[in-house]
């Protein structure tokens, strides 16, 4: 029987995330709701009820989006691919815990919105 040792060529100092994205999404690979853009603003509408069991990533998403936050910024802060965040959003939208404002609904001429997107991209 072989024991793990420091010389093991398969040992990795930084194994990366222990939970793969497909596990976080329950095996789903795409969003049911099309049209959620990278600059779409996500806002938490209400906290989950005790009956709504959410994944840790979904709880973190809700906490991040207490103020409207662009999808691309949420993905960066959660350190998850945008496609994974879109799938998580599907569940949260289904529970009516978040809202998504499309860029056209927000208005591209609103200087505050444009500045918020620029600031979010800079933080990435």
């Amino acid at each position: 029987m072989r024991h793990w040792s420091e010389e093991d060529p398969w040992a990795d100092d930084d194994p990366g995330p222990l939970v793969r994205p497909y596990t976080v999404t329950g095996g789903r690979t795409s969003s049911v709701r099309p049209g959620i853009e990278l600059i779409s603003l996500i806002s938490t509408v209400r906290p989950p009820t005790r009956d709504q069991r959410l994944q840790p990533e979904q709880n973190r998403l809700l906490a991040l989006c207490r103020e409207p936050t662009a999808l691309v910024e949420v993905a960066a802060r959660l350190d998850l691919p945008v496609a994974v965040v879109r799938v998580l959003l599907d569940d949260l939208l289904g529970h009516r815990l978040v809202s998504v404002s499309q860029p056209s609904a927000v208005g591209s001429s609103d200087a505050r919105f444009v500045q918020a997107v620029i600031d979010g991209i800079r933080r990435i």
Side-chain angles (χ1 to χ4, degrees):
M1 182 170 158
R2 183 173 175 197
H3 296 283
W4 183 83
S5 70
E6 294 295 325
E7 295 83 32
D8 190 345
W10 296 103
D12 191 354
D13 291 336
D14 182 19
L18 297 177
V19 179
R20 298 282 179 218
Y22 61 83
T23 304
V24 172
T25 63
R28 293 171 291 157
T29 58
S30 62
S31 173
V32 176
R33 292 170 179 82
I36 300 176
E37 304 293 331
L38 291 175
I39 59 172
S40 296
L41 293 177
I42 304 162
S43 302
T44 299
V45 175
R46 64 179 178 80
T49 64
R50 290 182 187 215
D51 296 337
Q52 294 171 321
R53 295 181 183 228
L54 302 179
Q55 296 179 30
E57 293 81 8
Q58 290 172 314
N59 285 317
R60 288 181 52 214
L61 190 151
L62 290 174
L64 283 172
C65 296
R66 288 185 183 129
E67 295 291 325
T69 308
L71 171 64
V72 68
E73 184 175 350
V74 172
R77 288 187 178 197
L78 292 177
D79 195 25
L80 290 171
V82 171
V84 171
V85 175
R86 283 185 173 129
V87 173
L88 295 175
L89 275 175
D90 275 344
D91 295 337
L92 296 175
L93 284 164
H95 291 302
R96 295 188 174 118
L97 298 176
V98 295
S99 66
V100 176
S101 301
Q102 300 305 328
S104 60
V106 175
S108 59
S109 63
D110 185 351
R112 290 178 296 160
F113 170 72
V114 173
Q115 188 61 49
V117 171
I118 290 169
D119 293 343
I121 292 171
R122 284 185 181 150
R123 283 191 291 256
I124 297 173

